[in-house]
Amino acid sequence: MLTEWGFTLNSTDTSLGLISASRERPLHGYYDPYDDAYSYGRGMRLFGGVGIGHGGSGVGFGIGGIGYGGGVGQQPVEVERVSLLVDDAHIRISRDIRRFDHWGDLRESYSASNDDFCQRFQTSFTQTAPATGRPL
């Protein structure tokens, strides 16, 4: 059922009853609104620094660079992971979502095991699994 939803199975352990799966989708135009270096999505990032020092006879300075647009060729992505723990009486599900920016840095991470997802999973599972008379 998870593969039909677009997930890729990462690992399974039948002796433990554990299934792990994930899926990834591009985030077009994504930026981190809390990172001021992105100028709130206006597309310019300045990095580096300027320093002046004197120790008798020398003065030195340096400037990093200015980058426009989308980083080092990476697309911002959202990775959704789902883990199922199955025993004779119950199925326990855990879901989390992580968002990475165009630099590959983790910008957001949160648990997404909400009622909506769990209800959709249970409905789909009961429609596709054979009836056993046992609750989820």
Side-chain angles (χ1 to χ4, degrees), residues 35-45 101-103 107:
D35 188 351
D36 197 33
Y38 291 104
S39 301
Y40 294 100
R42 287 178 239 165
M44 182 172 142
R45 182 175 181 152
D101 66 10
H102 61 281
W103 297 101
R107 290 297 174 184

Side-chain angles (χ1 to χ4, degrees), residues 13 28 109 115 121:
D13 187 330
H28 301 289
S109 179
D115 289 338
F121 180 85

